[in-house]
Amino acid sequence: MSDAENPPANDAEEIKPINFEWTPDLVKIGTSRGGIHPSIGPLESKGYFTDCTYRPGMALPDPADTRECLRWAGLSDKSIIEVEQKFNDLYPDYQGPTCGYEEKHYRTGAHDITFPKVEKMLKLFVEGMFDNNDEFEYTHKGYIEQGIQLGIRLEFAIFCGLHKDDPRAIEDPHLFEESWFSQGPAGIMSDTLIPFWMQVENFMASRLVYEGKAWKDGWGTWLIHEGETLEQAKARADEEHEMLNEKAREDEKRERKEEREKWARLEAEEEAMLVEQERLEDEMLKQQSIDKAAQPKDGEDIE
């Protein structure tokens, strides 16, 4: 028999229908309203915010291991390989930090530690979810199964739908009707994956502080560079922060100037357009007068 008549086992698995069923562990995660991170476990809160302070012995991914990070972000093994290939095709010369993280300055003066390669790959994955045009059932179970089909790990895909005991469904029964389905599985999942990954990032940055590789102040988290003491790192950060503040002010002035110039240019273009319109109207009226004058008067013969 040919390969088409007898497909490989892995191809058969790909087309096998997904039949999702809730388990007690999944119900616990799904009804926690974000209180249980699918990769990290139970989270502690400080008021309205999650406490992302690293605790000794806490399991977290190695920031240099992109695949491990993407698993913690919620991607299935198959989708990790696919997005990795897509990333390599799009960025063949990408050279990011070998440690997996770096510092990032913001125009507001804030400072943070980011994980650029994972963030880029996660963005590619999210964009790919929105490009998917497969049909799915407009039920909570159908949404979850579509999330799995999109390449999301089961414990994350459950957030595409609702369990009957989910507090949100109890408080707002319409979520089991039309309200929930105003957004597709890809939209719901992107709104879930990104915050969950940001929590992992915050925990990893906190671990760097715990390990003495970084420190925090009111502006954010700063790396201690190789060969620096903590005091030297703080002194450097003070100098850099002043430079950042100055750059932010310069950028703001430049943007305001560009905005003024843009509006002035638009006004000039609009005024020129009105002048041209008036000129054309005047020419049209003159031509009409000439044409009217050239027409024979009543009773006159045309030679």
Side-chain angles (χ1 to χ4, degrees):
M1 295 177 67
S2 67
D3 290 340
E5 294 172 328
N6 189 17
N10 59 342
D11 287 344
E13 290 175 0
E14 289 181 10
I15 62 174
K16 183 179 179 181
I18 296 169
N19 188 18
F20 168 76
E21 295 291 342
W22 285 98
T23 65
D25 286 342
L26 292 176
V27 172
K28 189 175 181 181
I29 296 172
T31 59
S32 71
R33 206 168 184 173
I36 300 177
H37 190 290
S39 295
I40 298 173
L43 301 173
E44 297 180 5
S45 298
K46 286 185 176 179
Y48 293 102
F49 302 97
T50 301
D51 182 8
C52 294
T53 304
Y54 173 76
R55 299 181 296 276
M58 183 179 183
L60 286 172
D62 177 0
D65 189 336
T66 306
R67 290 187 175 184
E68 184 185 6
C69 287
L70 290 173
R71 288 190 192 96
W72 279 67
L75 277 63
S76 68
D77 291 342
K78 180 175 178 291
S79 59
I80 289 172
I81 294 172
E82 291 173 349
V83 77
E84 190 176 58
Q85 181 61 54
K86 187 175 182 181
F87 179 88
N88 291 335
D89 291 341
L90 290 172
Y91 307 102
D93 301 320
Y94 177 79
Q95 293 182 345
T98 56
C99 61
Y101 55 86
E102 64 183 7
E103 291 175 299
K104 183 173 181 179
H105 306 286
Y106 296 90
R107 64 182 301 274
T108 57
H111 198 92
D112 208 354
I113 295 175
T114 63
F115 303 81
K117 187 174 182 180
V118 178
E119 291 173 3
K120 280 180 174 289
M121 295 177 78
L122 190 57
K123 182 180 179 182
L124 285 177
F125 175 75
V126 169
E127 290 172 350
M129 287 198 300
F130 283 98
D131 291 337
N132 184 283
N133 295 316
D134 292 346
E135 294 183 358
F136 53 86
E137 290 185 5
Y138 280 81
T139 63
H140 290 284
K141 184 174 183 289
Y143 265 43
I144 293 171
E145 291 176 348
Q146 176 64 3
I148 298 169
Q149 191 68 47
L150 288 172
I152 302 164
R153 303 181 80 83
L154 177 58
E155 59 272 24
F156 285 83
I158 57 175
F159 291 94
C160 285
L162 282 172
H163 185 269
K164 63 181 179 63
D165 296 328
D166 191 302
R168 291 168 296 178
I170 295 171
E171 295 165 6
D172 184 2
H174 287 291
L175 289 177
F176 262 100
E177 299 172 10
E178 69 277 1
S179 298
W180 183 266
F181 306 107
S182 62
Q183 192 175 11
I188 294 174
M189 204 64 258
S190 64
D191 290 345
T192 302
L193 287 179
I194 294 171
F196 274 150
W197 169 246
M198 289 176 65
Q199 289 174 340
V200 176
E201 281 188 321
N202 290 336
F203 274 111
M204 289 197 293
S206 177
R207 180 174 61 183
L208 292 174
V209 174
Y210 175 81
E211 293 173 344
K213 298 177 181 178
W215 61 281
K216 291 177 67 72
D217 67 3
W219 293 101
T221 308
W222 306 71
L223 287 175
I224 298 175
H225 294 179
E226 187 175 354
E228 283 185 332
T229 64
L230 177 59
E231 293 306 317
Q232 289 172 333
K234 289 184 176 181
R236 172 182 54 79
D238 287 340
E239 293 177 4
E240 289 185 359
H241 193 252
E242 286 302 316
M243 292 170 58
L244 283 172
N245 286 341
E246 181 60 32
K247 185 176 184 302
R249 286 191 288 267
E250 291 175 358
D251 288 344
E252 190 173 343
K253 289 179 182 178
R254 175 179 52 78
E255 289 173 4
R256 283 203 302 263
K257 181 181 178 183
E258 290 175 352
E259 189 72 10
R260 287 195 301 268
E261 291 175 348
K262 182 186 75 173
W263 284 109
R265 185 171 62 254
L266 290 174
E267 289 176 2
E269 290 174 355
E270 185 176 355
E271 185 176 350
M273 185 176 63
L274 291 173
V275 170
E276 178 65 12
Q277 186 176 350
E278 290 177 0
R279 186 186 67 79
L280 292 174
E281 289 176 353
D282 288 343
E283 286 187 358
M284 184 178 66
L285 291 173
K286 288 178 182 178
Q287 187 62 45
Q288 287 176 349
S289 297
I290 294 172
D291 293 343
K292 186 176 181 180
Q295 291 178 357
K297 297 179 180 179
D298 292 342
E300 291 184 351
D301 294 331
I302 301 176
E303 295 183 359

